Amino acid sequence: MMKKIYLVNAVTVCLLTACGGSGGETSNNNDVTDTSLSGNVNGLLANNTFSITASGGGELHTQRLDSEGNYKFENLTPETQYNLKVQAKGYRQEAILSSRPGRVAQALSVAAQPTPDIDNVFLYAWQDDGQSVSGLEYASAVNSQIEVNVEGIEHEVPNIAAAQILYRDYHIVLDDSDSLPWTQAHAYRLLETMKQIPQSHCKDSTESISLPCDATKHNVPETLWTLSTNHIAGNIAVNGNTVTLDAQAFTYAEPQIVSLEGQRGRFYSKSLHHAAVSYITNGGKNLEAANRILEKRFGVSIDTGASAYHSTYNNAVIAEDRTPSAWQKFTPEEVLIVINQFEEMPEGLHTIRDKNDSTKGLKYLFRRDNAHDHPLYPDAPAVAWPGNGYIEFMEKAFKGNNLEHMQRLVLHEKTHFLWHFVLNRDLKLEWLALSDWYRIDGSNPQNYLEEQPYSADQNLASHTHGSEFNSNNDTINIDASDGWSARKTTNFVSGYAQLKNPNEDLAESVSYFLNNPDKLRARAPAKYEFIRDRLMAGVTYLQTIRDDLTFEVLNLHPDYVYPGKIKNVDIKVEGAAGEDKRITIDLQLHTTQENCTLESCLEGASSAFTRIFSEIDTFKDIHFVPVSENGVRKKISDRLRATFTLPDTAKNGWWAPAQITITDPLGNQRYQRSTDYGWQMFINNPTDDVIAPKYVDDSLTLELGDEEFIEVRDGKKYRTVDNCDGNPAFECRVIKTLTAHWDVDEDVAMKSSGECFSRFAHQSFESYSDDMHGSFSENIHGAIDGQCTVKLTTTEYYRSGEYRVGHLSMQDRALNHSSENFSDNHEMREASPKVQLINDASTVDIIMPEMDIQSCTGAVNERCISVTAAPTNTAMPNGETNVEIKYWARDDKAGLGTVSYKLRDPQGTEHFHYHQHENSHTLFFEGDATEWKQYTATVTLPVGSAPGTWGVASIALHDKAGNRKFYDFTETLIFETL
């Protein structure tokens, strides 16, 4: 047996210490199911809290010896060979001993060594242990050890070479007083990690003969570092000068020699590195430290608030962006996401420059001001500009509750620079062939391979989704992809990859290769191999989920077949000119079964989605469902239907989709473009409205209402009352309302609901804006057609300070849309009016909600997180599975609000869910928000769900003051061939 990490298609990793052979066992016990390893250490004259470490397969297990020198490790990996090392000050281990679980190891012998205080001799020796770079060392005991005063308490630096260097170079004191002692292996792994991260008190070059770092001269504070066996979010917790590390972050911190699919290589993780970056940057708050890492390690810079950086905004493509007022600093959380994702890439791709001109390449990261959309690409969360050397991120890139998307987005945008500066023409042609990309107009694809991913021409529309009817093609010519289309329809990790062009396809694929390789490997194995072999120089990424947060799904007849291609399209538009149009669209898919049923419909689908566009880019989202049979809605079918209405003022003429995404219950998806099927949909609206509602200049107002006293029932406003004096019999709370008004020039009619929208932004760059919809009132000022009103209700938990409207938008009944951004000190934009919200400092909530992420042991009333699953049909499992997640959470003031989580299946498909608990939608938290409370989230996976190991990939918590906390339960493991 070997230690394995299972992935899709049965890929295995074999750690060479566990790939067979005797391993030097000292017992003939053949019980390989026993996961314990025990033994004794001889030669200790007195037990002075000595410890022993078992290391193997990247794992580190440490415990203290009992008074008799005995030890027993539990829960080890069967058949893995572990090296045993004694950590005993003043003693030398006679020989390296190896053993395996299920054995009783032979006794370890140690011998006392001379001390300089008594014997006038100091001895130190280091020996290669054949497994790790840290090796085996011993040193004479020194009575006058280095002692450091941290927060008024004296601490002794352990008698370990790496520990002494950590103190000398970084003022890190390893604290051995806790239950889990520091060992040579732990200290070495932390030291090597710290060396990789650029820091202000360390030299950039390692060629100098002087010491690399000078912590004393640069007044680096002394900090006390402890190890913990508890799970810690982000693997690190900082409390004043005390730093606690999750010991599990050390598991793959030191590269291990392994075999992956028959290839020998180095296997490691960046988890400890990410934790150290968090410490060095103070959780991302120290932007100078973060910028130093980005500059020295990746060749890019960010805005730290220094005025000298503002000149870099002159590189912006759009004229209105060449001013600091269009931009802001990255938030601390965003900084860590960017650094950590950049760090995951192979070192050869850390810095991207033109090989012929080092001044060209990725040099800057810009963050657009909160609440603003991109002027050219309003839907885009981020845009890469290779010709101008920067990536810009919008607030929407990081706002929300999808951590995995944020991580992949960073990798996606950087990959555009790979396309432009790293891939040559031949590699691009190879990539085109994998999905059979071609030019819709029949031109030679090679003529377009040097184009940048986005045009710098401001006059180009961001999307040209629709065009006039082309009788020669008998279809609508859709150019949402810059003129590209792919003949293959299933080997894509996302619809966006197939919708756009080969450049976007590569960016999406690389982001999944690093962040969710199982999905890329399952959907497009040839693309997976191309990226691994042609771009990553053989580097492979594996992603695991914490073992106790995984569960099994059973399915005797799994469906790995993609939904069938579109076979028939039937469109019916009813309604005369001047009437609303009632539209029915039927899709029929190719299937092998004549009668498609739930039990036998391999190519069937459970849903489909498309966005149809008019010739002026107005659009409507369309959802298809299986056609009902005898009044009963089917869960899966080869026939899908959508019914909807377009108003009589919608654009006259031809409407068409850019792409139709067809999905089955398993999550398999087929993406089909307009070139894959016939489509004609004509809307006969001769009196159409093609003019978008217009914001009336200088009409925006923002008001802060007086305190409003309300009675609260079930956490929501029930009625307004005069005051909260005299301890009323009901729950009485105070709210304040921000109200934005602006005048609208609309020539026909506004949309009936959701017609007005604005984003309310706080003065702090770390606080995300609030999205709110409002209403439209006609004929407010006579000549003006009407007025929008949007309100934001605030509670005592909201941040005090200045609020403004950063963005507003409007949509009329004909689906025409317009928007405005507002900025201070901007020549091309209005400044928003502002109001001051003042709340008592004792009630303001700026602390994130928290969850206890410890593993459950079965103890009564323990705070922990667990997941269980059971098939709904135990006799004939069909994938339908009841899943239950139990977790404990609390908040410091406002209370827990929205909770979401992601499940990841064996194919890498992510399944997003909200947990609807009793306080999900309340204005005020019902109960004591500060008390730990257990929550239970349940979901039933559909029939046909993929069999195998699923896991909880992440959970996002939001409180009722807008604070957010992500919990990521995945770990990325990296394999580099030797």
Side-chain angles (χ1 to χ4, degrees), residues 696-716:
V696 177
D697 292 346
D698 300 316
S699 66
L700 176 64
T701 64
L702 182 61
E703 303 167 357
L704 176 63
D706 295 332
E707 290 185 338
E708 180 182 357
F709 302 96
I710 62 171
E711 179 182 349
V712 176
R713 292 188 183 182
D714 299 324
K716 301 177 181 179

Side-chain angles (χ1 to χ4, degrees), residues 1-2 21 25 28-36 76-80 100-103:
M1 184 180 289
M2 63 184 71
E25 293 90 67
N28 292 323
N29 181 357
N30 292 319
D31 182 10
V32 296
T33 63
D34 187 354
T35 60
S36 65
L76 302 181
T77 303
E79 285 300 285
T80 295
R100 298 170 184 260
R103 279 81 169 168

Side-chain angles (χ1 to χ4, degrees), residues 169-170 194-195 197-205 211-215 218 220 292 296:
D169 290 351
Y170 305 101
M194 295 296 290
K195 287 180 179 178
I197 304 173
Q199 299 174 57
S200 60
H201 69 283
C202 298
K203 298 180 177 66
D204 295 334
S205 174
L211 293 176
C213 305
D214 193 336
H218 290 81
V220 175
R292 185 177 301 107
K296 302 298 183 183

Side-chain angles (χ1 to χ4, degrees), residues 44 46-52 62-67 86-89 91 156 176-182:
L44 297 172
N47 185 359
N48 185 22
T49 64
F50 300 141
S51 60
I52 185 170
T62 301
Q63 62 179 239
R64 298 193 186 277
L65 299 169
D66 68 14
S67 59
V86 177
Q87 192 77 33
K89 178 180 176 181
Y91 288 85
E156 184 178 285
D176 257 341
S177 62
D178 203 3
S179 59
L180 189 62
W182 284 90

Side-chain angles (χ1 to χ4, degrees), residues 211-272:
L211 293 176
C213 305
D214 193 336
T216 301
K217 180 179 178 181
H218 290 81
N219 298 315
V220 175
E222 292 166 335
T223 51
L224 193 67
W225 292 52
T226 63
L227 290 174
S228 174
T229 56
N230 292 330
H231 292 294
I232 301 174
N235 296 309
I236 189 168
V238 180
N239 184 11
N241 287 338
T242 300
V243 179
T244 305
L245 287 173
D246 187 337
Q248 297 187 51
F250 288 80
T251 299
Y252 295 105
E254 182 180 5
Q256 305 296 308
I257 306 302
V258 306
S259 174
L260 174 64
E261 297 183 304
Q263 287 189 305
R264 194 166 178 268
R266 299 166 67 246
F267 194 57
Y268 61 94
S269 163
K270 294 286 188 177
S271 294
L272 184 59

Side-chain angles (χ1 to χ4, degrees), residues 610-621:
T610 190
R611 173 174 285 184
I612 60 171
F613 295 88
S614 72
E615 298 164 33
I616 60 171
D617 260 6
T618 52
F619 64 86
K620 186 172 181 63
D621 290 342

Side-chain angles (χ1 to χ4, degrees), residues 6 518 545 547 549-553 904-907 946-951:
Y6 290 92
D518 286 0
I545 295 176
D547 186 62
L549 296 181
T550 62
F551 57 92
E552 295 299 315
V553 170
R904 187 176 293 178
D905 70 24
Q907 302 293 306
T949 302
W950 290 54

